[in-house]
Amino acid sequence: MSHHDDRGPDSTNEGGADRAPRDARGDEHRAASDVPVGESPGEVESDPRGEEILEFWETARVRAGEGKVGVVTGFGISATVPPPAWSFGDNPVLADGLLAAVLSGDKTATSSSHWEYGADVPLPQVGELSIILDGDGHPRALIRTTSVEVVPFDQVTADFAAAEGEDDRTLDSWRAGHREYFSRVLVGQEFRDDMPVVCERFELRFPRQR
């Protein structure tokens, strides 16, 4: 699934200048992590990356006041099952750029093609927590979905485009970037101006804005 950002690495997070710049517009990607997060704690703990996510969740859930979410029987890290962990974008540079925009407070929304969801991939739900990974698969942020709306591409509002925090935050640039991306990546479907788009807003729960 996909989500969009046209920001270059020099405007994202630390170390971004050392990465190769993106040469194409894209849409953000609610890409599922290959770490078995959300499965049984024992299975997650057998993977070093899973352990890192569990450790992040232990800290984030307390700092964000989410201590009662996902609690299962047990103690320590194995006492909780973390929410799904995923990265924005379809490449490490895009993942880092979008993550940086979230951490800075510039980005409080994301969009994806409704066609990418189905029985096996449910739509995001209001109140749902997610752990956001950086381009190297390390957990960096905890977000909570605050609203989800499916609207035709050509009816996405200027307010939502601004909330995505990309480019100059105008609706024109949002449409240009997303039209290019969807035209490039859609499989089995062709871009249309009336294609359904999942417009998701979220709040950053951890780390808190300073």
Side-chain angles (χ1 to χ4, degrees):
M1 284 161 294
S2 348
H3 305 264
H4 162 112
D5 189 291
D6 299 320
R7 302 157 71 93
D10 58 343
S11 63
T12 59
N13 75 357
E14 294 178 2
D18 295 329
R19 294 180 179 270
R22 286 195 302 281
D23 58 2
R25 295 188 175 197
D27 192 286
E28 302 144 32
H29 197 84
R30 232 180 184 276
S33 166
D34 58 5
V35 177
V37 176
E39 304 297 333
S40 71
E43 291 177 0
V44 176
E45 288 178 332
S46 66
D47 186 305
R49 290 176 61 200
E51 290 183 9
E52 182 182 7
I53 290 172
L54 281 169
E55 291 172 359
F56 176 87
W57 169 235
E58 279 294 291
T59 299
R61 73 185 183 91
V62 173
R63 298 284 294 277
E66 304 289 348
K68 295 183 179 180
V69 176
V71 175
V72 297
T73 302
F75 298 93
I77 290 178
S78 63
T80 61
V81 175
W86 47 272
S87 60
F88 288 108
D90 56 0
N91 63 74
V93 175
L94 188 55
D96 284 347
L98 289 164
L99 170 65
V102 170
L103 293 175
S104 70
D106 289 339
K107 184 173 186 59
T108 58
T110 186
S111 57
S112 52
S113 167
H114 186 262
W115 293 330
E116 297 177 75
Y117 296 87
D120 296 332
V121 186
L123 286 173
Q125 301 294 314
V126 173
E128 175 181 276
L129 294 171
S130 296
I131 293 173
I132 306 303
L133 308 175
D134 64 18
D136 294 320
H138 301 298
R140 295 286 306 282
L142 179 70
I143 64 171
R144 178 190 291 277
T145 299
T146 56
S147 71
V148 179
E149 185 179 13
V150 180
V151 300
F153 179 89
D154 58 5
Q155 292 183 29
V156 171
T157 66
D159 179 67
F160 183 84
E164 287 223 41
E166 303 161 15
D167 294 325
D168 59 4
R169 296 192 173 192
T170 65
L171 183 58
D172 285 344
S173 66
W174 185 93
R175 286 176 174 170
H178 285 73
R179 181 180 292 108
E180 181 177 339
Y181 178 79
F182 287 135
S183 297
R184 185 175 78 247
V185 304
L186 286 173
V187 176
Q189 299 279 0
E190 292 186 1
F191 172 82
R192 304 195 314 257
D193 282 336
D194 64 348
M195 64 173 282
V197 174
V198 179
C199 296
E200 176 184 359
R201 293 179 187 259
F202 56 82
E203 61 178 356
L204 178 64
R205 300 292 293 157
F206 178 80
R208 297 283 192 176
Q209 290 293 315
R210 295 180 179 178

